[in-house]
Amino acid sequence: LIPKTSANQAWILDTKFKPLALEGYSRSSVVYACIENLATSVPEPPVKFYVSSVANEDEEIQVDHGLTDLIKHPNELMSEYDMFRLATVHLSIAGITYWWKERSNDGTVIALWPLRPDRVGPLYSTSTAQGQRVLSHWVYHNPGTNEPIFLPRSDVWFTNYPDPLGPSGGMVEGLGPLIALAREVASDNEATRFVSTLLGNYAQPGWAVQLKSTVQNEDEARMLKMKFQSQFGGAHLGEAAIIDADTTLTKLSFDLQELEFPSLREFSETRIAAAFRTPAILVGLNAGLQRATYSNIQEARKDFTERSLE
């Protein structure tokens, strides 16, 4: 399953997670709303634990079992809610979440600690030995050092959205929704930056004043420009302009309705919401609010619970 060229090669620090988390999760309000909706919804249903018996009939674990205590208090800083919320954020961005198992002297798992996805990677194996097939270790890059830490695969719990192009075909590689949405998010962010630049720096003049009489020199042109700006710019923006019959005003800049790019915005919002399996109406996106009624909001919540939180 694993090419020999990929086996036993120390994993190189991933460079995709940080820009995705920065440009997508941190700077896109649409992406943030979708991920937060998922991350706060996933921990809500009560967790039930089962073990498989010899008869292949699942048996529910009792409340006082050690596994239930571990999940309810995965480590000294996090609760069960925090754990599932952070795991959902990692899955949404990178398509994979890693948790290191802290063990006591007798080998019992006493805590689960999250590992940042871009600092962990697989050490592939071509071995046929039990417990060493496909993956021998996980490699963790310790921040601030160049020394990787090799973690036995039994000491790392992970779950992923499979990446079919990974060396193992998706068994240990992740492909998050935000990776697939990189272009849509970049387009949406660029539209936001463009509007912000125009509004903040006023990158082009809002009006062109065309005079039928010839402007004699540069000083006269500058004086006419300053006079018009002093009366209808700055604090006077929006006041009515009175001009004579020999003067024409031509609008050059966008108005607020044109700056909104409604079609582009709705297109991006719809595709982003679809990738996160989150109805646009539930996260307040314009694409969903335009069709919002009390009944379809209820239906959207039901669909989200049954389809996305399964």
Side-chain angles (χ1 to χ4, degrees):
L1 292 175
I2 297 298
K4 291 183 178 180
T5 54
S6 299
N8 302 317
Q9 298 294 317
W11 175 78
I12 300 174
L13 190 67
D14 183 19
T15 58
K16 295 182 296 183
F17 178 80
K18 187 174 181 179
L20 284 171
L22 183 63
E23 293 296 324
Y25 183 65
S26 300
R27 293 181 179 173
S28 171
S29 58
V30 178
V31 172
Y32 183 85
C34 290
I35 292 180
E36 276 299 288
N37 182 61
L38 280 171
T40 55
S41 299
V42 168
E44 287 185 359
V47 179
K48 293 186 177 181
F49 303 92
Y50 297 86
V51 292
S52 297
S53 63
V54 178
N56 294 324
E57 294 181 359
D58 292 339
E59 179 183 353
E60 186 173 352
I61 294 177
Q62 300 301 315
V63 177
D64 59 350
H65 192 278
L67 179 60
T68 61
D69 292 338
L70 179 65
I71 298 300
K72 289 183 180 300
H73 305 284
N75 57 62
E76 62 187 59
L77 296 176
M78 304 180 75
S79 64
E80 174 188 334
Y81 180 90
D82 298 328
M83 175 183 176
F84 285 114
R85 182 176 185 176
L86 182 58
T88 304
V89 172
H90 285 173
L91 283 166
S92 299
I93 298 174
I96 195 165
T97 182
Y98 304 96
W99 296 76
W100 175 64
K101 303 174 186 177
E102 181 184 357
R103 298 181 183 272
S104 62
N105 291 334
D106 64 0
T108 302
V109 179
I110 58 175
L112 293 171
W113 293 92
L115 302 177
R116 223 172 83 169
D118 59 332
R119 294 175 181 163
V120 185
L123 185 66
Y124 296 109
S125 168
T126 56
S127 173
T128 58
Q130 188 69 25
Q132 292 294 314
R133 296 175 181 175
V134 180
L135 178 71
S136 64
H137 289 77
W138 291 102
V139 183
Y140 177 74
H141 282 270
N142 194 12
T145 71
N146 293 323
E147 294 295 328
I149 300 174
F150 294 88
L151 303 172
R153 73 183 204 181
S154 59
D155 283 348
V156 176
W157 171 77
F158 81 100
T159 188
N160 66 322
Y161 296 148
D163 179 3
L165 293 179
S168 72
M171 285 191 289
V172 296
E173 301 88 15
L175 178 64
L178 195 51
I179 298 175
L181 287 169
R183 290 185 178 181
E184 282 78 8
V185 175
S187 297
D188 191 68
N189 285 349
E190 191 59 38
T192 301
R193 276 191 286 265
F194 179 72
V195 173
S196 178
T197 300
L198 284 180
L199 293 178
N201 300 327
Y202 219 55
Q204 62 179 359
W207 296 92
V209 181
Q210 182 179 0
L211 304 175
K212 290 188 177 181
S213 59
T214 303
V215 178
Q216 299 300 320
N217 51 55
E218 185 177 348
D219 290 338
E220 184 180 356
R222 186 180 298 108
M223 181 190 68
L224 291 171
K225 176 181 176 181
M226 292 178 61
K227 185 176 180 180
F228 186 83
Q229 283 183 329
S230 66
Q231 292 183 359
F232 308 112
H236 301 286
L237 190 65
E239 290 188 0
I242 305 298
I243 57 176
D244 58 34
D246 292 331
T247 304
T248 302
L249 292 180
T250 303
K251 185 171 74 73
L252 296 181
S253 65
F254 298 108
D255 58 32
L256 291 177
Q257 186 175 4
E258 293 169 330
L259 283 173
E260 188 57 28
F261 306 113
S263 298
L264 177 62
R265 292 288 195 182
E266 184 170 345
F267 179 74
S268 297
E269 288 179 0
T270 302
R271 299 188 71 171
I272 291 172
F276 287 111
R277 297 194 300 176
T278 299
I281 193 173
L282 293 186
V283 289
L285 301 182
N286 188 53
L289 294 177
Q290 288 178 351
R291 303 165 181 84
T293 64
Y294 180 79
S295 60
N296 63 25
I297 288 179
Q298 294 296 98
E299 289 297 319
R301 286 174 178 167
K302 181 179 179 181
D303 178 72
F304 172 72
T305 301
E306 294 179 350
R307 187 169 61 91
S308 302
L309 300 182
E310 59 184 4

